[in-house]
Amino acid sequence: MITIRKSRDRGHFDLGWLDTYHTFSFDQYYDPAHMHFRSLRVINEDRVAPGQGFPTHSHRDMEIITYILSGGLEHRDSMGTGSVIRPGDVQRMSAGTGVSHSEFNPSETESVHLLQIWIMPRARNLAPSYEQTAFSEDERKGTLRLVASPDGREGSVTIQQDARLYATILEPGAAIDYEVAANRYVWLQVARGTARLNELELQQGDGAAIRDETMLRLVAHDTAEMLLFDLS
């Protein structure tokens, strides 16, 4: 069974400095029908204006993944980590017992477009930690590149949950298959472009909750960038 979460149905706030869409309930957006999908708690699509950002704030007991689509995002945290995250970079911050951080667009001219993802961890009160890895466009083209996993295999960032995140970039007309293991669930998020998932059409910003399917086929209509979550 595949259930489409249309882009237009997401929560949306335009604060001037931040234009944000929420796939699941988050902050001021509450929808009891869309609280989470398995351990996947948040997918926020954010566009942050030049010179703007999120001031220092705190998190705990959450695996936070940042995936940049365009521009750059400067990160600083209470663990002493500081970096600028750019397209192709995957940042993972395990909030655990508590961490504070800020996120800022350092450009004076270019907005930053990103997906921020929260995954509920396997346990509470884990030690906070940070990891960032770059995955080139070539690594993601025409394949499902593993970018986050519980064991860090294939150079992916390590998350504290039985979940795997794959990224793909498909050229127009390209297709890719994904076999779903028994007792697994999949969420597909279209970050850019348009594509077909089995017999269903997806637009930029659409998501799909997938249960009781054994084989998925993705076909890009134009250049499409997508994230696939394989969840317990």
Side-chain angles (χ1 to χ4, degrees), residues 76-206:
R76 296 186 182 277
D77 63 43
S78 55
M79 295 179 285
T81 306
S83 64
V84 176
I85 316 163
R86 301 194 183 279
D89 292 340
V90 175
Q91 179 207 70
R92 184 271 303 161
M93 186 176 73
S94 296
T97 53
V99 64
S100 298
H101 75 142
S102 62
E103 297 160 299
F104 183 75
N105 180 358
S107 173
E108 297 180 358
T109 58
E110 182 184 16
S111 64
V112 57
H113 184 196
L114 66 122
L115 295 177
Q116 186 165 104
I117 298 150
W118 292 10
I119 294 175
M120 294 179 280
R122 57 177 170 77
R124 298 174 62 86
N125 296 318
L126 299 170
S129 61
Y130 179 93
E131 191 177 5
Q132 182 175 326
T133 301
F135 301 91
S136 70
E137 188 169 307
D138 285 344
E139 285 183 85
R140 293 172 285 146
K141 272 189 176 178
T143 189
L144 286 162
R145 176 60 164 99
L146 184 67
V147 298
S149 69
D151 55 6
R153 61 187 172 89
E154 299 176 23
S156 59
V157 301
T158 304
I159 51 176
Q160 303 295 323
Q161 180 54 270
D162 182 8
R164 291 160 186 82
L165 172 58
Y166 299 85
T168 187
I169 300 172
L170 296 181
E171 298 296 336
I176 194 167
D177 295 328
Y178 186 76
E179 185 174 356
V180 184
N183 302 315
R184 301 294 293 184
Y185 301 78
V186 171
W187 183 277
L188 182 74
Q189 188 71 26
V190 181
R192 292 190 297 136
T194 59
R196 187 172 71 249
L197 167 61
N198 291 0
E199 300 305 318
L200 300 171
E201 299 296 330
L202 298 176
Q203 308 291 319
Q204 189 276 332
D206 288 354

